[in-house]
Amino acid sequence: MTPHPSLPELASSSRTAERPAAFAMPPLDAWLYRHQSSGAVCMTAGILARFEGPAPSLPGLRELARRRWGAYERLRWTPGAPATGSGAWPHWTPGAEFDPGQHIPDSPSPAPLEARTAQLLAHPLGPARPPWQLHLLPAPDGFALLLRAHHALLDGVSFVTLLRDLLDAPAAVPGQRMRPGAGEPAGPPRLALARALADLLPRARPLPFHGPVDSRRAVAWSRVSAAELSAARDALPSGRASANAVFLAAAAGALRTAGVTGRLPGLPGLCAMVPVDVRADDEGAVLGNRYATVRVPLPAGGGPQRRLAAVDGFTRRAALKQRARAQALFVASRPRRYGLVGEVLGRYADSPLYSSLLCSSMATHAGPLALGPARLTGIAALPPLSPGHPVAMTMAVHDTSATVTVTTDHAHRHLGARLSALVREEILALVV
């Protein structure tokens, strides 16, 4: 089981607070930090924001980042491991100053946006400074901002938080987050933990593309309008489905249509590893890794509505939020040391026997956003690829559109455009 963060420990990491010169990483930070050296794995994650309108100057963008992000202490943290050996617990060292000049480089490149994004996503961030960068990239009809960071520093919700803080909103919008399982009745903590531990059983189907991950990356995306996504959510006679359920059901259908699920899709079934945010309602601006992963069955059989009904029913019954929070609290209470059991569980959690692939969705819930006169038109979520899993699928919702993104290693780049287009077709098939 993947280690997860200590909830009380990160509660004050959003804004400036007193910290010692160096302190131990929370469990999930440490696990992601150690992951970096695993084969060709590059634990750089990111969010790509696309804009219509004139691009800002680099000096102007650096000054904006200094004003909007300068109070986030976590953006000044540098990772490091003690000199006592490879098994020592890694630590964070806070820096004294926020220097946007170190993190917003000049990134000229004639490469198309998808290719340049893939190049940067595959490039590890150096250990000598806080591991994040913001890139200003040319794009058709405007420009794009790529915020990338080592996953030990930031999770998906953190990327959205920073993006929203950098941009301008025409009106104040209450902070919200996509929280699968929110609103469901919370079961007893022991029951939630028992369900989380039951997720360790090896019941996921290995897919044909599973295997070693090479050092290069490829990204492809397709767009779905907010109206189309909303209509797909209304496709269930029993009630409105979540956007997360629509995405997961569409991902299952896309894998089946692409012919990578095999002839007996139910034995064993497809399983998605789904990150679930575990922040409390008053922790919307907390940066860091505040999530746990829950395994969700993906029904490959039947039609689009049948798949959506199965996924929506499971996510409602399983209480994903409560299960994830119980898992995070349990792991945070474990002693901070590396041992054989933790190493074995870590390798198992990365294997195709545990999950068929990563499927992650998020939303800004912010309404229109802009950078000066340029309007934000969409965002793409870019997760890292873990060992044995050269394909990851995401959906990011902003204002009037959703972006379905498929990230692959170079050897499986042919699957990117195919799968992202098929997910879009599956969502549209739900629209009556």
Side-chain angles (χ1 to χ4, degrees), residues 67-147:
R67 289 189 286 108
R68 300 284 176 89
W69 291 351
Y72 282 106
E73 181 195 6
R74 193 173 180 97
L75 295 183
R76 301 197 299 272
W77 292 2
T78 301
T84 54
S86 60
W89 197 270
H91 61 260
W92 289 114
T93 301
E97 297 181 1
F98 179 86
D99 183 2
Q102 290 186 341
H103 299 282
I104 307 178
D106 189 0
S107 306
S109 173
L113 181 60
E114 292 93 336
R116 184 58 177 153
T117 299
Q119 291 171 359
L120 291 168
L121 197 62
H123 186 68
L125 290 150
R129 61 186 59 170
W132 66 272
Q133 284 189 325
L134 179 65
H135 303 271
L136 177 61
L137 307 175
D141 302 320
F143 66 96
L145 293 179
L146 173 62
L147 173 61

Side-chain angles (χ1 to χ4, degrees), residues 280-335:
D281 290 339
D282 60 348
E283 294 178 330
V286 174
L287 301 188
N289 286 294
R290 300 295 300 274
Y291 72 94
T293 55
V294 177
R295 192 166 53 179
V296 176
L298 298 182
Q305 284 196 356
R306 182 177 174 182
R307 285 192 287 271
L308 177 58
V311 172
D312 186 70
F314 175 84
T315 56
R316 291 178 187 275
R317 293 191 308 273
L320 302 188
K321 178 78 170 181
Q322 288 75 35
R323 185 179 296 196
R325 189 169 180 82
Q327 184 186 141
L329 286 169
F330 173 77
V331 176
S333 67
R334 300 304 92 188

Side-chain angles (χ1 to χ4, degrees), residues 306-369:
R306 182 177 174 182
R307 285 192 287 271
L308 177 58
V311 172
D312 186 70
F314 175 84
T315 56
R316 291 178 187 275
R317 293 191 308 273
L320 302 188
K321 178 78 170 181
Q322 288 75 35
R323 185 179 296 196
R325 189 169 180 82
Q327 184 186 141
L329 286 169
F330 173 77
V331 176
S333 67
R334 300 304 92 188
R336 293 191 176 179
R337 60 177 179 269
Y338 292 119
L340 178 60
V341 174
E343 292 291 345
V344 170
L345 287 177
R347 288 195 297 270
Y348 168 66
D350 282 324
S351 75
L353 291 175
Y354 178 74
S355 68
S356 303
L357 80 167
L358 172 74
C359 290
S360 178
S361 60
M362 64 177 65
T364 63
H365 293 294
L369 293 173

Side-chain angles (χ1 to χ4, degrees), residues 16 18 28 68 85 113 126 189 191 234 270 301 320 340 404 412 428:
T16 304
E18 293 184 2
L28 184 50
R68 300 284 176 89
L113 181 60
L191 179 59
D234 289 329
L270 299 175
L320 302 188
L340 178 60
V404 176
H412 298 86
L428 296 182

